[in-house]
């Protein structure tokens, strides 16, 4: 009986110790021209519901002593499965009318990483990125090869029609029409090279609301390990197998226990050229900057390159910071047992 | 007459000023188990010849007031056109017997960047990366899309047979045989998952000499602009659209006038996880580390992740440093009008 009481006491002590450990998850669902004027109350409510679900899913994993990796995957999957975000189910269309998705994940414990680029039939691209990290010797796989690997790993494969949504289809038609008008309009006063560039990139002609919508999550588990994950459908009307920052370790995603976990969203090209996610970690490690200062400064660099967007950053104490250079960013944070907080506007 | 003399004097002064400006180029042709025992005198002479040619091609551009971008492309193209290096003509074979090449380039002046991944018909992948940087709004293009873009830009397109070389074909057969033997041998004492991993990654079974051979260049022009370029055929026997560090801005390639230009070679996965090229720049910018110390420290990080390889680093004074954790690295440097220096062993 004495021993049993001692056992109970020990269990209670351990439980308390585990409960004392901080844990947290922060998420984003993309940044852009999101204001109270542009977003209807119904649509805002819909976003808030899914963001809260994603936070709760991640927190549930962490509260039950799960890993930060499992938590970021759980949160990102919920956003991938929603048509509201530009990832998974709600991925935007390429110029050819297909959906090509990118995702990456990183484990702060040992800096393991996995990424896929240009996958078209994987229901949850973040799970494919996780499989690349856990089940292969590689970090990044692209195109058909990545899909073959995902299939071999038994992940959910869907008919490409799964990713068809009316809203994204309409966005593609609008983007194509805008390109046509802009090219016609600009042709007389532009060199053929400039006109050609715009035809190729089609970025100049893309409206803000079609640029963003990438989703991501960062988490800290009770064992003290950080993780980060990012998933996207890329740019509406994109061509030429364009790869943005989301599947690039260091640009769109970063996690190391020695500094911070980061997930980014925005104009991918400038986030790559700014190595935005790792730049935040480097400023923390090498300059002693605070996560907030590091995030703000990294976005100043991205801005100087002509890019806009946002980042979520989590440190090992469970402190989450947000930074964005757009009007709004779908975002949220859940720390320990506290009520999850969801924010949209500046 | 007076005015003509004044003009001549001014021209002479300008020429002297231009001549005084430092310019330099450094190159690598891969790192690995390269020792006097493994390399025959004939083969060593062949490597030295091409490395010298590449340096001279780059230096010629710089001496004639050309840009560092043109210089790194000129140098890399010569190595891509040689069957000796694992890039362009000498690219290794994938598991399927194809050649899938990656390349990236970066302009230190404004941090512009371009990259291609998984191209199979572009004669000089570095030119495709340059075209992505100069002629599109994107930074990275992959697969068929990247090839279509390169074709549209009028780059040299070749029959995939162009990349067939007996030596690389033999290496593929050997790698496949080694995989088979290793899997047979290991099967009884391994879980099916571990065996599956090795089948997938096939990295564990790849001999050192088939892992490396990536080429790269860094240059400083008389205008004070840095540039970097990297090109590779990847891993022998690679599968699943594997993408290594060479086309990843920040991992395999980096250039910014505010810090340094870097090109890396080695076990790509660990260079991605270490964000090796940008990590060197970050150590210089944020810690005030010397380029040599920054390069050495970044490779310590890569080594802690299980990776080996080397980097070339150039700063804005024209000071070039090399660092590698392998037995040797094909490398060279040409500073101003001095005789180019080519080195292979430690």
């Amino acid at each position: 009986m004495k021993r049993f009481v001692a056992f109970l006491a020990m269990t209670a002590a351990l439980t308390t110790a585990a409960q004392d450990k901080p844990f947290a998850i922060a998420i984003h669902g993309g940044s852009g021209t999101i204001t109270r004027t542009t977003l209807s109350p119904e649509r805002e409510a819909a976003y808030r519901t899914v963001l809260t679900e994603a936070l709760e899913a991640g927190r549930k994993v962490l509260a039950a002593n799960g890993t930060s990796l499992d938590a970021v995957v759980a949160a990102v999957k919920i956003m991938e499965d929603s048509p509201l975000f530009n990832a998974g189910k709600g991925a935007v269309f390429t110029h050819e009318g297909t959906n090509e998705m990118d995702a990456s994940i990183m484990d702060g414990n040992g800096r393991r990483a996995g990424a896929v680029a240009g996958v078209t039939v994987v229901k949850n691209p973040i799970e494919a990125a996780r499989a690349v990290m856990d089940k292969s010797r590689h970090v990044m796989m692209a195109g058909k090869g990545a899909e073959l690997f995902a299939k071999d790993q038994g992940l959910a494969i869907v008919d490409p029609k799964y990713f068809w949504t009316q809203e994204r289809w309409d966005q593609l038609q609008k983007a194509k029409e805008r390109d046509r008008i802009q090219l016609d309009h600009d042709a007389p006063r532009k060199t053929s090279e400039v006109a050609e560039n715009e035809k190729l990139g089609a970025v100049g002609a893309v409206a803000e609301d079609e640029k963003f919508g990438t989703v991501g999550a960062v988490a800290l588990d009770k064992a003290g390990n950080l993780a980060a994950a990012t998933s996207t459908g890329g740019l509406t009307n994109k061509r030429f197998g364009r790869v943005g920052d989301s599947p690039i370790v260091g640009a769109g995603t970063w996690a190391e226990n020695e500094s911070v976990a980061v997930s980014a969203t925005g104009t991918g090209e400038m986030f790559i050229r700014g190595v935005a996610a790792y730049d935040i970690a480097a400023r923390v490690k090498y300059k002693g900057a605070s996560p907030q200062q590091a995030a703000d400064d990294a976005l100043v660099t991205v801005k100087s390159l002509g890019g806009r967007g946002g980042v979520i950053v989590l440190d090992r104490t469970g402190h989450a910071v947000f930074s964005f250079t757009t009007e709004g960013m779908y975002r949220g944070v859940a720390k320990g047992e506290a009520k999850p907080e969801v924010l949209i506007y500046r």
Side-chain angles (χ1 to χ4, degrees), chain A residues 83 88-93 97-99 101 120 158-170 172-173:
Chain A
K89 173 70 183 160
V92 299
F93 284 97
T98 59
N99 307 90
M101 291 156 284
T120 62
V158 291
D159 188 293
K161 274 182 251 165
Y162 166 77
F163 300 104
W164 196 96
T165 59
Q166 187 68 50
E167 186 180 346
R168 297 306 190 190
W169 186 253
D170 293 346
L172 174 64
Q173 307 318 314

Side-chain angles (χ1 to χ4, degrees), chain A residues 10 79 99 122 166 207 279 308 341:
Chain A
M10 197 179 71
M79 292 185 281
N99 307 90
V122 180
Q166 187 68 50
D279 190 44
R308 302 204 312 153
E341 193 181 4

Side-chain angles (χ1 to χ4, degrees), chain A residues 112-190:
Chain A
R112 296 184 312 129
V116 291
V119 295
T120 62
V121 295
V122 180
K123 186 176 181 232
N124 290 104
I126 198 62
E127 290 199 323
R130 173 87 188 257
V132 171
M133 177 174 77
D134 286 345
K135 310 283 187 180
S136 87
R137 302 281 183 106
H138 299 320
V139 167
M140 189 171 185
M141 295 185 188
K144 293 283 166 217
E147 292 175 353
L148 182 63
F149 175 78
K151 258 180 228 179
D152 280 3
Q153 294 297 319
L155 299 187
I157 302 298
V158 291
D159 188 293
K161 274 182 251 165
Y162 166 77
F163 300 104
W164 196 96
T165 59
Q166 187 68 50
E167 186 180 346
R168 297 306 190 190
W169 186 253
D170 293 346
Q171 281 179 353
L172 174 64
Q173 307 318 314
K174 267 192 248 171
K176 285 186 168 184
E177 177 64 12
R178 208 162 30 226
D179 270 11
R180 200 188 57 69
I181 292 166
Q182 176 153 340
L183 288 173
D184 287 354
H185 177 74
D186 292 347
R189 57 182 174 87
K190 280 197 178 164

Side-chain angles (χ1 to χ4, degrees), chain A residues 2 7 12 17 20 35 40 43 61 78 110 161-162 164 169 183 185 196 270 280 292 325 334-335 337:
Chain A
K2 237 185 200 168
F7 170 76
D20 284 350
T35 64
S40 70
R43 215 168 150 80
V61 171
I78 283 178
K161 274 182 251 165
Y162 166 77
W164 196 96
W169 186 253
L183 288 173
H185 177 74
E196 185 63 21
M270 291 70 170
I280 295 171
Q292 186 72 59
T325 51
K335 289 182 73 169
E337 305 294 345

